[in-house]
Amino acid sequence: MRKLFLMTLVRVLIPSPAPADTIYVSPEDTLTIRTAIIWSSPGDEIVLRDGVFTGPGNRDLSLMGKNITVRSEGNDPTLCIIDCEGTSTDFHRAFMLQEGEGAEALISGITITNGNHTWGGGIYNSYPSSVTISNCHFVNNNAYEGGGLAYSSFGVISDCVFIGNTALTG
């Protein structure tokens, strides 16, 4: 009887991991990509519905050290766009990744456009982060180094398209 009680107590004190959540974000929602990232936990998936995401809360994003997925709903980057609205005097990019996210963190199926920043006009991924970036389009981004993407870390970049990005180096 005592052994059964202890086993039950252990199960209560050490709960099993919760299943991953899926958080949907639409360009028309008041819920922004940033808010979804804040609410997320490691292993969660943030699914962006088709459309164009603009404005504060939908650019200059960090995954906050969480190994999460941010992806388009249909995995078609031509239908899901983050427009950073960056200019030479008003710097913005889609993502700044530098808080230790691993290769399990994923950004996929998104077009990132009109980013303008010093390093990585569209995305800047820096050590110790090593986020996987897959099936993304980088269009018309600008930076001093790495027009569409500056990646000074380990990780995987696969099946991405770069069109019309500019940089002095990189």
Side-chain angles (χ1 to χ4, degrees):
M1 178 74 165
R2 182 178 173 133
K3 186 175 182 181
L4 178 61
F5 172 75
L6 288 176
M7 289 176 65
T8 303
L9 182 61
V10 168
R11 284 190 194 134
V12 171
L13 295 177
I14 306 173
S16 60
D21 286 329
T22 301
I23 303 168
Y24 290 88
V25 183
S26 175
E28 299 84 27
D29 288 346
T30 55
L31 173 67
T32 63
I33 301 169
R34 176 175 292 117
T35 302
I37 292 169
I38 291 168
W39 288 353
S40 71
S41 297
D44 286 354
E45 194 171 50
I46 297 169
V47 177
L48 306 181
R49 305 241 191 223
D50 292 346
V52 180
F53 292 84
T54 60
N58 291 315
R59 62 181 183 217
D60 303 315
L61 303 166
S62 165
L63 298 185
M64 303 173 62
K66 301 174 186 179
N67 288 328
I68 59 175
T69 293
V70 178
R71 68 169 180 86
S72 64
E73 186 171 32
N75 205 31
D76 183 347
T78 65
L79 300 177
C80 182
I81 300 163
I82 295 177
D83 184 343
C84 303
E85 302 175 298
T87 69
S88 60
T89 58
D90 190 19
F91 286 177
H92 296 289
R93 64 166 68 97
F95 293 93
M96 172 72 160
L97 309 167
Q98 63 178 8
E99 296 185 42
E101 302 88 359
E104 305 84 29
L106 172 67
I107 297 171
S108 179
I110 302 167
T111 291
I112 296 169
T113 189
N114 298 322
N116 197 315
H117 222 285
T118 309
W119 307 97
I123 293 179
Y124 181 56
N125 190 49
S126 175
Y127 181 81
S129 293
S130 57
V131 176
T132 299
I133 301 170
S134 176
N135 189 34
C136 288
H137 293 183
F138 294 85
V139 181
N140 297 329
N141 298 288
N142 182 52
Y144 172 78
E145 183 171 316
L149 170 69
Y151 207 89
S152 62
S153 187
F154 300 104
V156 175
I157 302 169
S158 67
D159 300 318
C160 292
V161 175
F162 295 83
I163 301 169
N165 299 288
T166 57
L168 293 177
T169 63

